[in-house]
Amino acid sequence: MANLLVTGGAGFIGGNFVHYWAETHPDDAVIVLDSLTYAGNASTIAGVEQAQLVVGDIRDTTLVETLLRDRGIATIVHFAAESHVDRSITGPDAFIETNILGTNSLLKAARKVWLDEGSGREHRFHHISTDEVFGSLGPSDPAFSETTAYAPNSPYSASKASSDHLVRAYHHTYKLQTTTTNCSNNYGPYQYPEKLIPLFLLNALSGKPLPIYGDGMNVRDWLHVEDHCRGIEATLARGVVGETYNIGGGEELPNLAVIDRICAEVDRAFAEIAGLAERYPDAPAAKGRKTAELKTFVEDRKGHDRRYAIDERRAKAELGYVPQHDFAGGLAGTLRWYLNNEAWWQPLLGRKG
């Protein structure tokens, strides 16, 4: 039996990881540290028997030290972060506080308990990062690899790049046993409805516009959140201490293609599922019209990166990582999850950050 500390474990990716770990490692105890900001939701992990939620801030170094010491924790999986690029543009301070100072606080606590207090036990500080730290690619540029130079273009990606460098520094300077994964765009259940897929789905259900930045041709690599969890698990089991690994879904798509697929899936759901028209009467599909009529082109985001792509060959070769979800099936399953779990997302719609 092992004890894990999962920061941000009531958020989207962290919450899915808690579910995944509980299912695949049923004898382990999972302590979730989450400050329950607008994107944190205790109901995401409700019912996971192995998980205990501690409401607290990762910047509270003393609290983290106490948890590591008193719970005998030897593994930290660090998800906690401000992650929405639009929010980082309008309010970058929260990103500096959480992503940089928060990560440093965790590293300090880990160093003190695991190294300075002389336990000598094997440990792991696993840091979850993003492909956005690498900047933007041209149409024919090779995909991001683990050796791609950092070139962050938003306050969000700059803050994550800073946290990546701190993790690296704690390993090389203090010999803290760390690993880092840089992932591509995640999608799946429990995602707060400010990100593209859940936002466009819920807008479609209520007949609201689907706002498309610029020409809609910004390209992303799409990664199902369960595959991301599988990649983290592989890194914890087989990753080399001090190294980084790219975790991707292997499916590059322009935003417009993703939006068209969302529209088609919503139309299909209304055709196949009895009662949807009565539940969501404002949806165009409830009236026999096409969801795509809601598409609206808006002014592009400031500094909008054109293309991200992940080269995950190292993770596949060294960790045995293989994504199990293709985008078509993963998207269909995600949309059906939201349709079946209105009780989870409905209370979030009025929540502000």
Side-chain angles (χ1 to χ4, degrees):
M1 178 176 179
N3 294 335
L4 283 74
L5 178 65
V6 178
T7 72
F12 165 47
I13 306 176
N16 275 279
F17 179 80
V18 169
H19 281 275
Y20 179 85
W21 199 266
E23 292 169 4
T24 56
H25 302 265
D27 294 330
D28 289 356
V30 180
I31 294 86
V32 173
L33 178 61
D34 200 298
S35 59
L36 298 182
T37 61
Y38 78 94
N41 190 345
S43 67
T44 295
I45 56 172
V48 180
E49 293 183 3
Q50 298 97 313
Q52 178 184 352
L53 175 62
V54 176
V55 179
D57 196 314
I58 59 173
R59 293 172 297 173
D60 186 343
T61 311
T62 301
L63 171 61
V64 177
E65 290 174 5
T66 300
L67 290 173
L68 296 180
R69 195 179 293 117
D70 292 353
R71 308 298 180 91
I73 293 168
T75 301
I76 296 174
V77 188
H78 176 34
F79 294 94
E82 295 286 343
S83 66
H84 192 42
V85 174
D86 286 358
R87 288 177 182 266
S88 83
I89 293 170
T90 58
D93 288 1
F95 291 74
I96 305 305
E97 290 283 338
T98 298
N99 299 356
I100 301 177
L101 299 182
T103 299
N104 187 55
S105 171
L106 290 170
L107 289 163
K108 287 195 300 182
R111 176 193 171 196
K112 181 175 181 180
V113 175
W114 290 340
L115 300 179
D116 294 349
E117 294 181 359
S119 69
R121 70 186 303 175
E122 291 295 310
H123 59 269
R124 181 69 65 87
F125 186 109
H126 182 71
H127 175 58
I128 286 82
S129 188
T130 171
D131 58 0
E132 296 192 39
V133 300
F134 301 121
S136 185
L137 293 170
S140 60
D141 289 339
F144 301 132
S145 74
E146 289 80 0
T147 60
T148 299
Y150 276 34
N153 289 322
S154 70
Y156 162 61
S157 57
S159 69
K160 289 300 289 184
S162 298
S163 65
D164 292 6
H165 293 322
L166 281 169
V167 173
R168 175 184 171 86
Y170 267 74
H171 170 67
H172 285 274
T173 302
Y174 305 114
K175 307 308 177 187
L176 194 70
Q177 295 173 11
T178 68
T179 43
T180 296
T181 45
N182 294 81
C183 69
S184 55
N185 270 32
N186 278 229
Y187 70 98
Y190 299 111
Q191 189 169 29
Y192 184 78
E194 65 182 356
K195 300 296 179 76
L196 191 152
I197 288 175
L199 174 66
F200 278 48
L201 168 62
L202 301 189
N203 278 13
L205 295 179
S206 58
K208 296 179 180 178
L210 307 181
I212 304 167
Y213 282 133
D215 62 2
M217 296 307 292
N218 299 75
V219 175
R220 301 293 182 262
D221 176 280
W222 291 90
L223 171 65
H224 192 281
V225 66
E226 185 179 86
D227 285 330
H228 186 189
C229 294
R230 188 175 291 108
I232 295 166
E233 179 187 40
T235 306
L236 290 171
R238 295 180 289 279
V240 176
V241 168
E243 295 297 319
T244 66
Y245 300 89
N246 283 351
I247 307 296
E251 298 206 47
E252 278 189 69
L253 293 168
N255 287 343
L256 195 56
V258 173
I259 293 162
D260 286 340
R261 292 191 187 191
I262 293 171
C263 293
E265 284 295 332
V266 170
D267 291 345
R268 185 160 73 111
F270 273 80
E272 295 177 354
I273 301 175
L276 277 189
E278 290 73 24
R279 287 170 58 192
Y280 305 107
D282 294 327
K287 306 175 181 68
R289 304 202 307 268
K290 295 294 186 182
T291 300
E293 72 182 42
L294 298 173
K295 292 193 301 183
T296 305
F297 289 88
V298 299
E299 182 180 353
D300 205 358
R301 170 197 286 162
K302 293 180 180 179
H304 199 178
D305 289 338
R306 190 63 172 175
R307 172 177 169 244
Y308 304 144
I310 281 281
D311 179 348
E312 72 258 10
R313 286 178 295 178
R314 184 184 188 195
K316 289 181 175 179
E318 297 183 17
L319 307 179
Y321 165 72
V322 179
Q324 300 298 306
H325 295 270
D326 62 39
F327 185 74
L331 178 64
T334 297
L335 298 191
R336 297 303 171 103
W337 184 89
Y338 279 91
L339 291 174
N340 292 331
N341 289 275
E342 184 175 347
W344 180 85
W345 56 260
Q346 186 66 45
L348 304 180
L349 295 185
R351 187 184 292 188
K352 300 291 184 181

